Amino acid sequence: MRVMGVDPGLTRCGLGAVEGRPGAPLSLVAVGVVRTGADEELGTRLVGIEAGIESWLDEVRPDAVAVERVFSQHNVRTVMGTAQAAGIAVLCAARRGLPVALHTPSEVKAAITGSGTADKKQIGAMVTRLLRLSEMPKPADAADALALAICHVWRGGAQHRLSEALARATSRRNPAR
Amino acid sequence: MRVMGVDPGLTRCGLGAVEGRPGAPLSLVAVGVVRTGADEELGTRLVGIEAGIESWLDEVRPDAVAVERVFSQHNVRTVMGTAQAAGIAVLCAARRGLPVALHTPSEVKAAITGSGTADKKQIGAMVTRLLRLSEMPKPADAADALALAICHVWRGGAQHRLSEALARATSRRNPAR
């Protein structure tokens, strides 16, 4: 399963793709950021974010996209731009018919480090270890995008196994005649 | 000058277009809403909003687009969706190279009614009068979109007159030799 993670933002939108399945080693596909200038008009910035995500989707061809869920409790000054960048990532994925999942920062932290309150450094260290990289991906937005993708591989896998187990349990209770 | 106003929202995205210039009667071009289901996935809703806005832009062919500026002080439960719908409106306009303006709700209220704290009913009444309509446009989101467009015609006009006046003043101070 190939998952592309998006850590949304107007100034730096982190993008990272990984391949793997639960219980097996993960591998890095790509990592980077799309940047837009703080002095540009909002429309120009959103067009730039869309173009960047589209070209990543073309290259990476993911099976699913995981986007960080944005809350209004975040930094009030930047939260609207962050929500808009997230919306464009969801739009681009949905236009291609790709499944989109939204994960909260604490879900991602808990999945990667075991603690929902882990800091950026700890996330970066675990991403580096899990993908067997020689150094920590930079900037932090890029590492966060990889963490989102890893979280989705693992949670997606868990949800898949759960639905399989439920299907088995149901078929045992209602055996075919 | 033909302006399309967007009152952003996921459940109801108000759209309204007017034609006019400051100091002359305004005329209604089109008014309506794009709706998406609260039970649909976010991606499906954003794709629906984009398709609705695109088809409006194709039909209306505005010279400019005015979008309500969303603040995080708004209803916290819906503000993220509202910001994302606004972002898609800005994106669609900017992709076509159309100028985009963001106006705050109080700027719109002040432009239309003279008071930055006017209520929805007052906005609807003034939109009805200014466009010489036989009845108030419904729902309120559609009337708000028209109010945004009217505000932009007037403010755009005021800014235009201001730049003309400045240009005249400058040319008087620095007469051509």
Side-chain angles (χ1 to χ4, degrees), chain A:
Chain A
M1 186 190 204
R2 183 175 281 204
V3 177
M4 181 168 133
V6 181
D7 182 33
L10 286 184
T11 304
R12 284 184 308 277
C13 184
L15 299 170
V18 305
E19 204 164 63
R21 54 187 170 79
L26 295 154
S27 62
L28 174 72
V29 176
V31 63
V33 284
V34 173
R35 296 172 195 270
T36 71
D39 54 338
E40 290 176 289
E41 282 193 10
L42 176 62
T44 311
R45 302 184 82 176
L46 296 179
V47 169
I49 298 283
E50 183 190 39
I53 290 173
E54 281 293 330
S55 98
W56 264 69
L57 289 170
D58 285 342
E59 289 276 325
V60 164
R61 305 217 155 269
D63 302 306
V65 175
V67 182
E68 187 179 301
R69 189 184 290 279
V70 184
F71 291 105
S72 56
Q73 292 86 341
H74 278 186
N75 184 340
V76 169
R77 203 175 56 78
T78 59
V79 71
M80 290 299 137
T82 307
Q84 290 172 344
I88 286 175
V90 171
L91 174 73
C92 291
R95 270 196 310 229
R96 292 174 186 236
L98 293 174
V100 182
L102 300 171
H103 298 297
T104 66
S106 51
E107 282 168 355
V108 175
K109 288 172 185 173
I112 304 292
T113 70
S115 160
T117 59
D119 63 14
K120 293 248 172 223
K121 203 176 144 192
Q122 207 178 335
I123 298 286
M126 281 307 292
V127 164
T128 310
R129 183 177 308 172
L130 291 165
L131 296 173
R132 289 152 294 132
L133 307 176
S134 53
E135 56 180 39
M136 202 181 285
K138 280 178 190 160
D141 314 75
D144 283 349
L146 289 173
L148 265 156
I150 296 170
C151 165
H152 187 70
V153 169
W154 287 350
R155 286 175 65 101
Q159 277 164 0
H160 183 64
R161 286 199 307 276
L162 185 64
S163 9
E164 278 185 339
L166 275 169
R168 277 197 305 273
T170 312
S171 68
R172 270 200 299 272
R173 258 181 288 140
N174 305 302
R177 294 166 194 217

Side-chain angles (χ1 to χ4, degrees), chain B residues 47-119:
Chain B
V47 169
I49 298 284
E50 182 190 38
I53 291 173
E54 282 293 330
S55 100
W56 265 68
L57 290 171
D58 284 343
E59 290 277 325
V60 166
R61 304 214 155 272
D63 303 306
V65 175
V67 182
E68 186 179 300
R69 190 185 288 279
V70 184
F71 290 106
S72 56
Q73 291 86 339
H74 277 185
N75 184 341
V76 169
R77 204 175 56 78
T78 58
V79 71
M80 290 298 136
T82 308
Q84 290 172 343
I88 287 174
V90 172
L91 175 72
C92 291
R95 270 195 311 228
R96 291 173 186 235
L98 293 174
V100 182
L102 300 171
H103 298 297
T104 66
S106 51
E107 281 168 356
V108 175
K109 289 172 185 172
I112 305 292
T113 71
S115 159
T117 59
D119 64 13

